[in-house]
Amino acid sequence: MDTNAGSFVAVRRLAGSDRAAGAVAFHHSSSAEVVTGSTAWIERGLSCVCVQSRDSDARLSFDLTPVQEECLLRLQNRIEIQYDSSNIEHQEELKALWCASFPGTELRGLISEQWKEMGWQGKDPSTDFRGGGFISLENLLFFARNYPKSFQELLRKQNGDRAIWEYPFAVAGVNITFMLIQMLDLQAVKPRSLFGAVFLKLLSENDRAFDILYCITFKLMDQQWLDMHATYMDFNTVMKSTRRQLERELLIEDIQRVEDMPSYKLLAR
């Protein structure tokens, strides 16, 4: 990601009745307070969680079945696609994400201050897709369409005792996509970790396993956020904790489908 691309916005929640109602104050609101900083906050989160080598990583060599090879190739093809703001299909997907996120609220443009309400860094969401690519948009849209109750709860920060300074929803989503790609070693010819090998078995059972795992991870991350009473400066720590929990669940012996993971129960449609 380009650390000079812009700045992140941490959202401060309003006190009193608005806080009790789960309302969120965003950058454009006159009653809100915001704190801005370098996008290195996001990049530090990714490099710290995803790229750092760990001695405990399990490295192995194994052969892929033809089905696993085909499923992995399809997923890798998705991962390689960068978001293109001039691509009509990509534009339509972005509009669909807005409609799924804010039903009944008209979007005034693909470049609009409205996008900050969703937790993008600025008025042009395309600048935030550099770390996750087009698949990060697909992941968000899959979440919104397949688990709308959980999606709306996270988008609107409706559950739990929330922090004064909350994580930006959409930017966190891009981070999650990138973290999963790195954790599962999905850009290699074949995964070199035990977690990646286990995931390939799940992917061969369900071609949308990555998208479902994304939804699980987002909900799990938010649960960890609440359990740790985190604020936006703790984002890296929360992501590390989330990754460790995912790794533990992937290694449970009787996990045959991604829906068998214990944290899948956190999701609600």
Side-chain angles (χ1 to χ4, degrees), residues 23-191:
V24 177
F26 298 102
H27 188 197
H28 70 279
S29 173
S30 59
S31 59
E33 295 181 47
V34 300
V35 59
T36 59
S38 167
T39 53
W41 173 73
I42 303 169
E43 187 156 73
R44 284 200 303 272
L46 296 178
S47 60
C48 185
V49 174
C50 308
V51 178
Q52 184 179 16
S53 176
R54 302 185 306 164
D55 293 337
S56 60
D57 281 347
R59 298 295 174 180
L60 73 164
S61 178
F62 62 97
D63 294 325
L64 301 181
T65 68
V67 172
Q68 289 174 340
E69 285 184 351
E70 183 180 351
C71 291
L72 178 59
L73 181 59
R74 284 199 298 267
L75 182 54
Q76 288 175 333
N77 287 339
R78 291 176 62 194
I79 290 170
E80 290 174 1
I81 300 173
Q82 295 300 309
Y83 182 84
D84 181 358
S85 58
S86 66
N87 185 307
I88 300 300
E89 178 187 349
H90 294 192
Q91 293 176 10
E92 292 303 317
E93 291 290 280
L94 189 57
K95 291 176 185 176
L97 177 62
W98 175 268
C99 293
S101 303
F102 303 102
T105 301
E106 182 181 357
L107 178 64
R108 291 189 289 271
L110 291 176
I111 299 178
S112 169
E113 294 290 334
Q114 289 175 288
W115 288 110
K116 295 178 183 178
E117 297 180 25
M118 195 176 176
W120 299 104
Q121 296 182 88
K123 60 184 180 180
D124 183 4
S126 67
T127 61
D128 289 330
F129 288 124
R130 294 172 185 168
F134 182 60
I135 193 172
S136 60
L137 171 56
E138 291 181 315
N139 289 156
L140 280 167
L141 189 53
F142 180 91
F143 192 9
R145 286 172 168 169
N146 291 273
Y147 303 97
K149 186 175 187 297
S150 290
F151 181 89
Q152 289 294 330
E153 288 172 350
L154 300 191
L155 172 63
R156 302 176 189 276
K157 306 293 195 298
Q158 291 175 335
N159 290 342
D161 184 17
R162 311 304 306 198
I164 298 299
W165 298 106
E166 277 288 328
Y167 65 84
F169 174 81
V171 171
V174 176
N175 272 263
I176 289 169
T177 297
F178 189 91
M179 184 268 282
L180 289 174
I181 292 170
Q182 297 297 305
M183 183 185 85
L184 301 172
D185 206 14
L186 294 176
Q187 290 178 299
V189 175
K190 62 181 180 180

Side-chain angles (χ1 to χ4, degrees), residues 183 199 202 209 212-213 216-217 220 245-252 254-266:
M183 183 185 85
F199 174 74
L202 305 181
I212 298 172
L213 183 60
I216 293 172
T217 305
L220 177 60
Q245 179 60 30
L246 287 173
E247 290 173 343
R248 285 192 290 268
E249 294 191 16
L250 283 170
L251 296 184
I252 295 175
D254 59 351
I255 299 296
Q256 302 297 323
R257 305 175 307 141
V258 68
E259 294 92 337
D260 294 333
M261 295 177 65
S263 291
Y264 179 76
K265 296 177 182 178
L266 296 173

